[in-house]
Amino acid sequence: SNLEIGRIFLDFNKFLFDDINKIEIFSWSTNSSYFDDGKEWWGSFFWTVYNPYKEWYLGITASTTD
């Protein structure tokens, strides 16, 4: 159900990030051949999220192309 999906999403975020106000988010350049296939239409993205409490880095890459 949508309610269950929402709870899973919130639990997942709490597990990864703890206090959302303390995380550090960085946006990185995608000017690399690695991202070329994702730039066919609207572009691509690359972020890292740092959780200082758990000392975890999470990398997120996305393409706005199909």
Side-chain angles (χ1 to χ4, degrees):
S1 72
N2 286 338
L3 181 60
E4 185 176 334
I5 291 169
R7 285 185 183 148
I8 291 169
F9 176 78
L10 292 174
D11 288 345
F12 181 75
N13 282 313
K14 185 175 181 181
F15 173 75
L16 286 177
F17 305 122
D18 293 330
D19 186 349
I20 198 81
N21 295 313
K22 302 293 182 185
I23 63 172
E24 299 174 22
I25 302 171
F26 298 96
S27 177
W28 299 90
S29 171
T30 56
N31 292 331
S32 163
S33 61
Y34 178 82
F35 295 99
D36 283 350
D37 290 339
K39 294 179 183 176
E40 295 166 350
W41 291 90
W42 300 287
S44 53
F45 302 95
F46 177 26
W47 299 283
T48 54
V49 181
Y50 176 61
N51 179 334
Y53 292 111
K54 294 186 177 184
E55 296 183 351
W56 288 357
Y57 280 95
L58 174 68
I60 303 166
T61 59
S63 169
T64 54
T65 303
D66 299 346

